[in-house]
Amino acid sequence: MKAGVIVFPGSNCDRDLAVAFERVSGRKTDMIWHKDSTLPTGLDIVAVPGGFSFGDYLRCGAIAARSPIMRSVVEFANNGGHVLGICNGFQVLIESGLLPGALMRNAGLKFVCKDVELKVATSRTAFTSNYRKGEEITIPVAHHDGNYVADPDLVKRLKDEDRITFTYADNPNGSTADIAGIVSENRRVMGMMPHPERLNDRHLGGTDGTRLFESLGEALVGA
Amino acid sequence: MSEPEITPELVREHGINAEEYQRILDLIGRVPSFTELGIFSAMWNEHCSYKSSKKWLRTLPTEGPQVICGPGENAGVVDIGDGQAVVFKMESHNHPSYIEPYQGAATGVGGILRDVFTMGARPIAAMNSLSFGEPSHPKTKQLLNGVVEGIGGYGNCFGVPTVGGEVRFHKAYNGNCLVNAFAAGLADADKIFYSAASGVGMPVVYLGAKTGRDGVGGATMASAEFDDTIEDKRPTVQVGDPFTEKRLMEATLELMQTGAVISIQDMGAAGLTCSAVEMGDKGNLGVALDLEKVPVREENMTAYEMMLSESQERMLMVLKPEKEAEAKAVFDKWDLDFAIVGETIAEDRFLIRHNGALMADLPLKALSGTAPEYDRPWLETPPAPALVNVPEVDVKAALLTLLGSPNYSSRAWVWQQYDHMVGADTAVRPGSDAGVVRVHGTDKALAFTSDVTPRYCKANPFEGGKQAVAEAYRNLCATGAKPLATTDNLNFGNPEKPEIMGQFVGCIKGIGEAVAALDMPIVSGNVSLYNETDGKGILPTPTIGAVGLLEDLDQLITNRPNEGDQLFLLGETVGHLGQSALLAELFDREDGDAPHVDLSAEKAHGEFVRAAKAEGLISAAHDLGDGGLAVAAVEMGLASGLGVSLISGGPSDAGWFYGEDQARYLLACTRDNAEALTTLAREAGVPLKKVGGFGGETITLGKVSLPLADARDAHSGGLLKVAL
């Protein structure tokens, strides 16, 4: 698996994500600057990391979604490429139109950083195949605007199409239907608010995030 | 534009007294211009000149084989082996935070982060020590919420994990909260950047955010007491932009790699003035600035305003001229404003030109070198009377009151608003003895703690100063780290009052003795005086920030015991209750002497904890502090969701369970290791006593017991009573 991580000036989980991919694949992650207009060739997955891409001014992810590189990321996704957006990356993917819905300010109005219990809602994606459906895992969240908002039609469609990947066991931000992560119609673009790259090491308090990267490593091996 | 005439009133408004003004006249042989007066006030105020504290700061131990750079630069630099160094400092933003809590606290974080990356280090950890007024005071809730949000808002966006700190409430801070921000960064030991300029005719480059009128006179404001005109001071608070700071850091670190940077200084207090003078002074050079080249965001700014602006996220550098193109490429990449605003000159002058007019022409070296220095009269704090009338205590009620008090309850509400995991190297999160962050890409880690017990410092400044250092030492040892070095953030009232100066002197002496004995030299720090409102001073609050090193994360000790673990108490218990949390929280009494600190016992016990871990004998450890044995044991139980039982002991229930004798730890170990641990203690000659064990769902304190859930509810709800 060859991974590329997009770097906006205010990204701050770019290195964490690169390390997580490298640990699974043994291959160096390409760090891709937001002002570039094309992606390097040969990437199996493009990831948009957490952070505050452009200071979260205007709307989280809104300015980033209009940066030169995102046109190429959208094209990559439209051609069937795998794209992962975590936290601010999820916001960017929504603002780019790759995923439906909206991410609003947390219901509690405060930034919240803590471990949360997630339920794996489907294992039928390249991102979640190493988890069991219904399994409970621990992954941290760290966001101010992680309240996923979807109208009833969208929620129904996401459920009917088995596109909800993770739900919160104890909703920390007010998200509709406890949604923590979703995939696109072709199941190759996933956005999630929690940070699997942060619980990926026995020294850091847990490894429940590791299997997400292992799932991808297996799905995209030699892809 | 014509400048105002210099009148005695104008001089006074600049915080310059008659004697100091005479010194200016003698120095330049004429009446200063308005801009010059502003420059003097910026350089000579307490905040920048340390004029009341310098004499005493010089007495602090600052050296050791581990110290690469001690006080005097933007931050201290300490060797951590393998060619790497940790760079750290703590600094106050008290007055701005009281006036405008969100921005005051946010820019405090911004300032300390800049101090660290200015030296070439990438910030890897932040902490903050916060002191607020009593929970029932009408301003406390708003200040707590605003300060915490401001710290989170800045640090989270910047991308540094906030891994520790303190929050306290006391009526002495009703009119003057304290916000002390700590940051630490990692650098290659041979790639540290300093502020001394070198070379004549070198370009002085301005980098970062544009200059506005915000913060004009901020450092002078921070050196004055508050009174009822405080609302007028709001415009002196700066506004922060963490996104610009993040870019400024990335650009600065990238620029340093190109070899273009000769010297660098961040623009903090008194902005352009302090940074330019600092670089010239350290390099024995003069500096000439052309202010029309300074990027500004407001129209018609005067020389005075530009020289005193405290707009945030700005940096001044002296660059190698031949590297200008490379430098420009870095600034452009990060979309940052930069401009060549002047040059270094051979003469010892500080020349400020604006639109062709010479606005200031001052001897540069004298601006910092001849700043006033005072040997303020001081009165030694009289010995506290011995504690009498020790009350009877209901052991169970006392536990729930302490755990549920705003001062000793869970801080989760605070640190959940801080991103404490960004960087994916946080090995111990907030809420433990010390925050621990792995040195990226290695198995080593750094531990961070900040400590002080202000009511001890008030009763007995000398022992209180020692205790602040000793507690920091214990918190580091309790995580398995070897303490390395210290930064001090000394918050006191008006130094012109001999009894306040006496508190300062006493604390400094205690801190000095302790850092020498525990081998954790002071490498950086900050002094904040005049923390008074309407003539009432705060508690003396010398916050100690300390850093320790774990050579291997496998030596990490947590505060989480396992089911069935036995519990041992390391250290002597005599049951000292003077100035204890028990008296303060249950009986509203702050009397008696502070506990005395036996520094050789501290050292021996700290070393024993690490030795016991190295032998594989302990599964958890925790330092004993406020609330003594019972609170510490229950905190360990709560960390693992386990009940705990403690035996009774002497001299009294209150003294045994809640006494605050120093140099004590709780150690948890398995039944199988208990004998070996006891033997190790006997060999080491340290007092170790089995006092209980962990397991079940009940807390037992001698003859009384209560459900663990009751303790959990009290502990998790205490702070919320103030915050929500």
Side-chain angles (χ1 to χ4, degrees):
Chain A
M1 170 177 62
K2 181 72 176 166
V5 170
I6 307 295
V7 183
F8 299 107
S11 298
N12 58 32
C13 303
D14 42 337
R15 186 189 71 185
D16 313 355
L17 200 46
V19 167
F21 280 118
E22 282 164 15
R23 205 170 279 168
V24 165
S25 69
R27 296 178 69 179
K28 192 148 178 52
T29 303
D30 275 339
M31 305 307 280
I32 305 158
W33 188 235
H34 66 104
K35 289 182 184 173
D36 293 350
S37 50
T38 54
L39 290 171
T41 53
L43 291 181
D44 297 312
I45 180 163
V46 173
V48 189
F52 289 68
S53 45
F54 283 85
D56 280 3
Y57 299 131
L58 187 60
R59 265 191 334 271
C60 302
I63 302 175
R66 280 140 191 92
S67 62
I69 196 63
M70 284 312 295
R71 277 194 288 273
S72 297
V73 175
V74 170
E75 197 181 303
F76 178 81
N78 288 341
N79 290 333
H82 284 83
V83 178
L84 171 64
I86 293 172
C87 199
N88 188 228
F90 187 12
Q91 294 161 345
V92 174
L93 295 185
I94 286 183
E95 289 287 342
S96 306
L98 286 174
L99 292 169
L103 287 160
M104 309 281 285
R105 177 113 325 173
N106 295 344
L109 303 180
K110 303 259 188 209
F111 189 96
V112 57
C113 177
K114 62 176 182 181
D115 280 347
V116 297
E117 300 301 312
L118 294 182
K119 264 204 190 118
V120 178
T122 180
S123 54
R124 283 202 318 112
T125 77
F127 307 90
T128 57
S129 59
N130 276 12
Y131 297 106
R132 284 189 324 277
K133 180 176 173 163
E135 185 181 353
E136 286 213 3
I137 59 173
T138 302
I139 303 280
V141 292
H143 58 246
H144 209 158
D145 300 78
N147 178 358
Y148 184 75
V149 176
D151 61 32
D153 287 349
L154 175 58
V155 173
K156 183 173 185 313
R157 202 165 78 236
L158 291 172
K159 282 184 175 168
D160 289 349
E161 295 170 5
D162 192 26
R163 285 169 55 192
I164 299 170
T165 48
F166 299 105
T167 57
Y168 299 109
D170 183 11
N171 195 333
N173 53 29
S175 290
T176 308
D178 301 325
I179 289 171
I182 56 170
V183 285
S184 58
E185 262 182 86
N186 72 358
R187 314 187 77 74
R188 292 182 169 208
V189 178
M190 181 171 84
M192 65 189 292
M193 286 313 294
H195 286 272
E197 78 280 16
R198 291 186 180 186
L199 272 191
N200 181 34
D201 192 321
R202 73 181 173 93
H203 283 309
L204 306 184
T207 54
D208 278 358
T210 307
R211 277 181 287 160
L212 187 143
F213 299 96
E214 288 172 350
S215 302
L216 283 168
E218 287 168 24
L220 303 177
V221 66
Chain B
M1 191 177 295
S2 70
E3 293 194 319
E5 196 185 331
I6 306 299
T7 62
E9 199 181 7
L10 192 63
V11 171
R12 206 165 42 245
E13 280 169 9
H14 280 76
I16 293 170
N17 66 28
E19 186 192 331
E20 289 167 352
Y21 185 63
Q22 188 57 47
R23 191 190 282 254
I24 293 173
L25 296 179
D26 294 345
L27 195 64
I28 64 176
R30 60 179 166 79
V31 171
S33 70
F34 182 57
T35 301
E36 289 173 334
L37 185 69
I39 290 172
F40 275 109
S41 98
M43 291 303 301
W44 286 8
N45 65 58
E46 189 68 54
H47 185 83
C48 295
S49 75
Y50 296 94
K51 59 190 170 190
S52 302
S53 57
K54 228 187 292 185
K55 171 188 157 83
W56 295 101
L57 296 178
R58 279 194 208 103
T59 66
L60 289 169
T62 58
E63 288 172 0
Q66 71 272 45
V67 178
I68 295 174
C69 173
E73 284 289 337
N74 284 298
V77 184
V78 177
D79 193 351
I80 60 166
D82 303 312
Q84 287 183 297
V86 60
V87 177
F88 65 94
K89 188 183 180 184
M90 189 175 238
E91 197 162 80
S92 61
H93 232 212
N94 304 335
H95 288 79
S97 301
Y98 187 77
I99 298 171
E100 214 303 294
Y102 185 99
Q103 291 297 345
T107 54
V109 175
I112 198 68
L113 289 168
R114 265 194 314 286
D115 279 333
V116 165
F117 69 74
T118 298
M119 309 240 7
R122 179 174 286 268
I124 59 161
M127 297 192 287
N128 45 79
S129 172
L130 312 177
S131 305
F132 299 102
E134 60 197 325
S136 60
H137 190 272
K139 273 189 85 85
T140 300
K141 176 181 169 182
Q142 174 225 351
L143 286 171
L144 171 67
N145 274 273
V147 164
V148 169
E149 264 183 57
I151 289 168
Y154 206 98
N156 298 347
C157 176
F158 179 85
V160 63
T162 301
V163 299
E166 307 171 89
V167 182
R168 73 176 58 83
F169 301 93
H170 191 282
K171 60 178 183 294
Y173 306 102
N174 278 353
N176 195 128
C177 64
L178 301 183
V179 174
N180 293 176
F182 169 100
L186 203 60
D188 288 342
D190 60 351
K191 295 198 185 78
I192 305 293
F193 286 79
Y194 297 100
S195 54
S198 70
V200 172
M202 295 295 166
V204 174
V205 176
Y206 171 114
L207 174 64
K210 290 178 168 63
T211 295
R213 290 190 172 91
D214 50 332
V216 172
T220 307
M221 177 270 292
S223 306
E225 289 179 34
F226 281 156
D227 53 29
D228 51 13
T229 65
I230 180 173
E231 286 301 317
D232 304 340
K233 296 192 164 84
R234 201 181 296 271
T236 57
V237 178
Q238 317 85 328
V239 175
D241 175 6
F243 175 57
T244 297
E245 177 107 331
K246 164 79 159 74
R247 291 182 293 139
L248 188 62
M249 174 201 47
E250 298 289 359
T252 301
L253 296 180
E254 224 171 283
L255 188 66
M256 286 168 169
Q257 287 179 358
T258 68
V261 179
I262 296 174
S263 82
I264 176 164
Q265 178 73 28
D266 83 297
M267 290 192 234
L272 201 48
T273 297
C274 266
S275 55
V277 170
E278 185 88 17
M279 292 203 303
D281 179 40
K282 292 242 174 76
N284 296 314
L285 291 165
V287 173
L289 299 177
D290 286 317
L291 295 185
E292 64 272 15
K293 293 179 182 157
V294 171
V296 291
R297 64 172 126 89
E298 293 182 59
E299 287 177 14
N300 300 320
M301 283 190 69
T302 65
Y304 176 92
E305 288 167 334
M306 279 193 248
M307 292 309 292
L308 266 62
S309 163
E310 292 190 1
S311 291
Q312 298 290 292
E313 294 92 25
R314 301 180 302 160
M315 203 68 104
L316 205 61
M317 313 179 174
V318 177
L319 294 184
K320 290 182 186 156
E322 68 273 19
K323 297 268 188 184
E324 195 184 321
E326 269 175 90
K328 185 178 181 313
V330 173
F331 303 151
D332 287 348
K333 173 182 171 187
W334 292 97
D335 296 314
L336 286 168
D337 267 313
F338 88 103
I340 297 174
V341 296
E343 61 172 359
T344 56
I345 56 176
E347 282 173 285
D348 174 31
R349 310 297 309 164
F350 190 36
L351 299 175
I352 308 300
R353 292 192 187 83
H354 192 210
N355 298 324
L358 187 64
M359 305 305 289
D361 176 1
L362 297 170
L364 186 142
K365 260 214 137 15
L367 273 173
S368 57
T370 65
E373 183 177 333
Y374 296 121
D375 184 1
R376 302 241 187 237
W378 58 281
L379 265 179
E380 188 156 330
T381 305
L387 185 66
V388 290
N389 300 326
V390 178
E392 289 289 317
V393 171
D394 175 337
V395 170
K396 183 166 138 184
L399 179 71
L400 291 174
T401 303
L402 282 169
L403 288 176
S405 75
N407 273 314
Y408 305 111
S409 51
S410 164
R411 269 64 192 121
W413 178 86
V414 175
W415 49 255
Q416 285 180 355
Q417 295 183 57
Y418 305 150
D419 190 337
H420 47 268
M421 292 182 254
V422 61
D425 281 313
T426 303
V428 176
R429 302 180 192 176
S432 191
D433 288 300
V436 178
V437 177
R438 179 170 55 190
V439 176
H440 190 72
T442 75
D443 291 325
K444 301 201 300 189
L446 292 164
F448 304 97
T449 184
S450 94
D451 299 284
V452 61
T453 311
R455 56 181 199 283
Y456 292 174
C457 295
K458 173 127 193 268
N460 187 334
F462 179 70
E463 290 297 331
K466 278 164 68 183
Q467 194 273 344
V469 176
E471 189 173 347
Y473 179 85
R474 284 200 298 275
N475 278 325
L476 296 176
C477 292
T479 64
K482 183 180 184 325
L484 276 184
T486 306
T487 181
D488 57 352
N489 196 155
L490 308 169
N491 310 272
F492 290 81
N494 181 347
E496 295 163 40
K497 297 178 181 168
E499 62 278 14
I500 299 283
M501 200 59 207
Q503 293 175 342
F504 183 80
V505 172
C507 285
I508 289 267
K509 287 181 174 175
I511 290 168
E513 188 165 307
V515 298
L518 301 175
D519 189 23
M520 35 198 307
I522 305 276
V523 296
S524 58
N526 165 246
V527 179
S528 172
L529 302 174
Y530 298 96
N531 288 291
E532 300 207 354
T533 301
D534 297 331
K536 274 187 279 183
I538 57 162
L539 295 180
T541 312
T543 311
I544 294 296
V547 178
L549 175 67
L550 278 143
E551 290 287 356
D552 191 322
L553 268 174
D554 285 332
Q555 291 307 308
L556 179 73
I557 311 170
T558 71
N559 64 350
R560 294 190 301 273
N562 298 315
E563 174 94 38
D565 274 353
Q566 301 196 340
L567 181 58
F568 284 84
L569 174 61
L570 171 63
E572 294 285 2
T573 300
V574 297
H576 184 98
L577 285 167
Q579 301 297 335
S580 62
L582 180 80
L583 286 188
E585 298 291 339
L586 272 83
F587 304 100
D588 197 22
R589 283 176 58 180
E590 289 179 31
D591 50 351
D593 196 1
H596 288 215
V597 179
D598 176 346
L599 291 167
S600 59
E602 290 286 359
K603 194 159 185 14
H605 300 175
E607 283 167 1
F608 179 76
V609 173
R610 287 199 301 281
K613 176 64 185 180
E615 295 290 326
L617 297 177
I618 53 175
S619 39
H622 191 23
D623 133 77
L624 268 71
D626 289 318
L629 174 63
V631 167
V634 172
E635 282 173 350
M636 289 178 83
L638 288 172
S640 289
L642 291 174
V644 55
S645 68
L646 285 175
I647 59 170
S648 292
S652 64
D653 271 354
W656 170 252
F657 288 117
Y658 299 108
E660 297 182 3
D661 308 298
Q662 299 294 298
R664 296 189 301 164
Y665 298 80
L666 282 173
L667 305 178
C669 78
T670 60
R671 194 171 295 273
D672 290 348
N673 283 332
E675 199 184 320
L677 185 66
T678 312
T679 307
L680 192 69
R682 200 182 318 115
E683 287 166 5
V686 298
L688 185 77
K689 178 184 165 77
K690 181 166 178 252
V691 294
F694 292 102
E697 300 268 321
T698 303
I699 293 170
T700 305
L701 304 175
K703 296 187 209 61
V704 302
S705 59
L706 62 153
L708 178 66
D710 289 2
R712 187 187 299 121
D713 290 347
H715 191 242
S716 58
L719 185 61
L720 304 184
K721 289 184 278 191
V722 192
L724 302 182

